[in-house]
Amino acid sequence: MPRKSPLVIGHRGAPGYRPEHSRSSYELALAMGVDAVEPDVVATKDGVLIVRHENEISGTTDVAEHPEFADRRTTKRVDGEALTGWFCEDFTWAELTTLRSRERLPEVRAASASFDGSQAILRLRDVLDIVREGSSEHGREIGVVLEVKHATYFASIGLDLAPLIARDLREAGWADGELPLIVESFESTVLAQLKSLGVAASYVYLIEAAGRPYDLLVAHGAAGQTYNEAVTASGLDALAGVVDGISVDKRMLLARGNTIVADAHARGLTVFTWTCRPENRFLAPEFRGAGGKSAYGDYEAEWGVIASTGVDGVFVDHPDLGVGFFRG
């Protein structure tokens, strides 16, 4: 009996072709056949949820070209790391509407960068509407995989993300379980908060290949569980029944001899992985080819290893390639 193909999730839309989190990125992903799209959620000063890869926005917008915002440039510590730039929580939504999106990786994705300056920042509500409309247009149910970013940091500055997310999901009709919704975060604390607020979703714990989640570091210091400890037998035992699944860095599934997927499945947990990309820059060394970092390497060989683990979902930057490979 053939193995069921994994969910193909458009990672921030279709950022292999359009600036991530832009309207055209999401619309292209839907047209290319994804099962779901993944918005990253952060907040403005006035509590509006927007979709950006990070709360520092100089890499994905033209904010640096706006002299009226020059004095907003600052240095902050986010999840323990010093970052310098412009931060969404220092702007109102009205101010952010004056900015335009740009390609985060122009040296790798020059074609996508050609769309710089043409599209506004989106709110979470906008993405939910795009997906709902796209489901109707394309005649299939399309889901949302909502990633909560930097929840502990935002709470520390008086912007609790969980109630804001619950508000937007309820107002958009996405919180009652009628539409396919997955909520994920590298911080388990905010997942528990959203669950307690009655948001009906599948909850997925994001896991890095190294390090320790910031919420547990703040709560427990060096005694806080590491990401690697979360995928041990005892770590997975503790997650079973608390979350519905895990989503791991693809390097963990490419590591020889790993049994993460089988171990998680044995405990009733689904497993996703991120991020399947074809360019040499993002491939494991053994799958890279000629032509430099922006050229495509032997991505099908890498993705074949990932698929062979029995993973339940994959995040892709090029939805047409992901759909073609994982459903082929």
Side-chain angles (χ1 to χ4, degrees):
M1 184 174 181
R3 182 183 57 80
K4 181 182 177 183
S5 63
L7 290 175
V8 178
I9 303 160
H11 182 234
R12 310 171 196 157
Y17 303 113
R18 301 289 188 275
E20 63 186 31
H21 292 311
S22 64
R23 178 173 291 273
S24 67
S25 182
Y26 285 110
E27 290 178 343
L28 183 58
L30 303 184
M32 286 180 165
V34 295
D35 297 299
V37 291
E38 184 229 25
D40 296 318
V41 175
V42 291
T44 67
K45 178 193 293 187
D46 50 346
V48 176
L49 295 176
I50 64 169
V51 291
R52 290 286 96 188
H53 173 53
E54 295 291 346
N55 57 322
E56 200 289 296
I57 58 174
S58 64
T60 60
T61 74
D62 61 358
V63 64
E65 297 171 11
H66 286 251
E68 69 272 25
F69 297 138
D71 62 350
R72 307 280 179 95
R73 189 173 188 269
T74 187
T75 298
K76 300 187 179 191
R77 292 196 72 82
V78 180
D79 292 2
E81 179 182 353
L83 297 173
T84 299
W86 288 262
F87 296 83
C88 62
E89 64 269 21
D90 295 330
F91 293 81
T92 65
W93 167 240
E95 290 172 329
L96 290 180
T97 62
T98 67
L99 305 183
R100 292 296 176 265
S101 297
R102 60 174 38 180
E103 170 56 44
R104 187 169 59 89
L105 302 166
E107 72 283 4
V108 178
R109 294 171 174 170
S112 176
S114 70
F115 293 89
D116 284 0
S118 64
Q119 299 176 79
I121 292 176
L122 298 176
R123 300 166 298 175
L124 172 61
R125 285 295 304 271
D126 298 322
V127 176
L128 298 175
D129 289 344
I130 289 168
V131 176
R132 187 192 293 271
E133 292 161 9
S135 295
S136 177
E137 177 186 353
H138 298 293
R140 68 180 196 280
E141 190 173 64
I142 304 170
V144 169
V145 182
L146 188 162
E147 181 179 346
V148 187
K149 302 298 288 268
H150 308 304
T152 300
Y153 164 78
F154 275 106
S156 75
I157 60 170
L159 283 167
D160 285 315
L161 294 184
L164 298 178
I165 292 169
R167 174 202 68 193
D168 279 14
L169 290 172
R170 287 202 176 93
E171 290 177 358
W174 281 83
D176 58 7
E178 294 299 312
L179 295 170
L181 175 66
I182 296 168
V183 179
E184 61 178 8
S185 179
F186 288 103
E187 300 178 87
S188 56
T189 304
V190 72
L191 297 180
Q193 291 169 345
L194 281 163
K195 215 172 187 179
S196 71
L197 290 172
V199 173
S202 292
Y203 287 89
V204 171
Y205 185 35
L206 284 161
I207 295 176
E208 297 267 19
R212 179 181 279 109
Y214 189 63
D215 58 335
L216 299 187
L217 177 64
V218 169
H220 307 293
Q225 186 188 61
T226 66
Y227 286 118
N228 277 313
E229 287 169 342
V231 295
T232 62
S234 61
L236 292 171
D237 284 342
L239 289 173
V242 175
V243 295
D244 300 291
I246 60 174
S247 184
V248 300
D249 186 319
K250 70 174 184 179
R251 290 175 292 175
M252 300 172 80
L253 298 188
L254 292 171
R256 192 180 303 277
N258 87 86
T259 58
I260 291 172
V261 175
D263 293 345
H265 283 174
R267 292 160 174 82
L269 296 166
T270 58
V271 183
F272 295 170
T273 194
W274 45 274
T275 304
C276 292
R277 296 163 164 144
E279 297 105 337
N280 283 321
R281 171 172 171 172
F282 305 112
L283 295 173
E286 61 268 34
F287 301 113
R288 294 172 190 160
K293 60 188 176 183
S294 62
Y296 290 4
D298 191 5
Y299 68 90
E300 290 187 333
E302 183 188 90
W303 295 5
V305 174
I306 291 169
S308 72
T309 66
V311 71
D312 301 293
V314 293
F315 291 85
V316 300
D317 280 7
H318 300 71
D320 55 339
L321 300 183
V323 169
F325 181 84
F326 289 103
R327 292 202 200 131

